[in-house]
Amino acid sequence: MQQWKTRDRKILLDESPWLKVERRVVELPSGQVIPNWQWVTTPDYVNVVAVTEDDEFICFRQVKYGVEGDTLAVVGGYLNDGEEPFEAAQRELREETGYESTDWKDLGHYRVDPNRGMAIGHLFLARRARLVATPIIDDLEEQHLLFLTKAEIEKALVTGEFKVMAWTAAVALALRSL
């Protein structure tokens, strides 16, 4: 299969580092040219499903501006400039929860929207996490740290309590790999 080709691009909006919107001219393998293809760039991010030494899953109950009501969430955040995804995952786990792990599994990386760009989400599982520090609370949203059993997180997954696709995928992949 052949890839599409970018023939031209023009930046329409640049609110770096959070958002960039481009208009692209793309050529399909058939030769057809699409003169007005929107491409959106947002920062790459990590999500971590963390399991403590006592086999409890570390989650948050929180609100997000774009989500109706509250939601369960896993650890996560954006990559800093020049930061590798695994380094960001370790940093976010420690900052958000005060936990560290030496037992990590890479659950894969996935493009948010394959035809419009967006970010790449890097998903991780941190096993045998242990408390080593006080969390750094700097999120804009109110959130409460929770510790769920495997049965509780499985129920939360199937009942739609994780209202963000990346969190749902991370939890499902983590449970599958345990």
Side-chain angles (χ1 to χ4, degrees):
M1 300 179 92
Q2 297 177 355
Q3 296 289 315
W4 295 14
K5 296 177 185 168
T6 302
R7 295 175 77 194
D8 191 29
R9 66 181 72 190
K10 178 182 180 185
I11 296 174
L12 302 177
L13 175 67
D14 189 347
E15 295 289 338
S16 294
W18 307 113
L19 175 69
K20 187 184 293 185
V21 179
E22 297 178 358
R23 179 177 347 164
R24 292 184 174 186
V25 177
V26 296
E27 181 180 341
L28 281 62
S30 66
Q32 178 184 356
V33 174
I34 301 174
N36 190 20
W37 192 266
Q38 288 75 38
W39 188 261
V40 179
T41 303
T42 58
D44 291 348
Y45 64 89
V46 296
N47 284 129
V48 180
V49 177
V51 184
T52 69
E53 293 173 315
D54 296 326
D55 291 324
E56 294 180 307
F57 289 77
I58 304 171
C59 296
F60 297 99
R61 181 159 304 281
Q62 64 183 46
V63 295
K64 287 288 187 185
Y65 179 60
V67 174
E68 187 175 323
D70 63 10
T71 179
L72 284 182
V74 296
V75 170
Y78 295 120
L79 276 68
N80 293 329
D81 285 339
E83 187 176 36
E84 291 297 318
F86 180 59
E87 293 172 317
Q90 291 175 308
R91 175 182 53 76
E92 288 291 344
L93 178 61
R94 184 179 175 119
E95 285 178 3
E96 291 188 3
T97 69
Y99 279 75
E100 285 185 351
S101 173
T102 58
D103 185 359
W104 288 83
K105 181 170 185 176
D106 185 336
L107 298 173
H109 57 276
Y110 307 91
R111 168 99 32 214
V112 172
D113 184 342
N115 276 334
R116 300 290 177 200
M118 304 299 288
I120 294 176
H122 302 269
L123 310 181
F124 293 90
L125 170 62
R127 296 171 286 218
R128 292 192 279 281
R130 58 183 168 61
L131 185 63
V132 297
T134 302
I136 300 169
I137 309 299
D138 66 353
D139 275 0
L140 299 174
E141 301 92 4
E142 179 183 0
Q143 61 184 20
H144 302 283
L145 192 62
L146 302 173
F147 296 87
L148 304 179
T149 66
K150 186 176 182 189
E152 289 170 331
I153 201 164
E154 287 172 338
K155 181 180 179 188
L157 179 67
V158 299
T159 59
E161 289 190 62
F162 292 94
K163 296 179 182 178
V164 173
M165 189 182 318
W167 302 338
T168 301
V171 171
L173 288 167
L175 287 169
R176 185 164 174 13
S177 71
L178 288 172

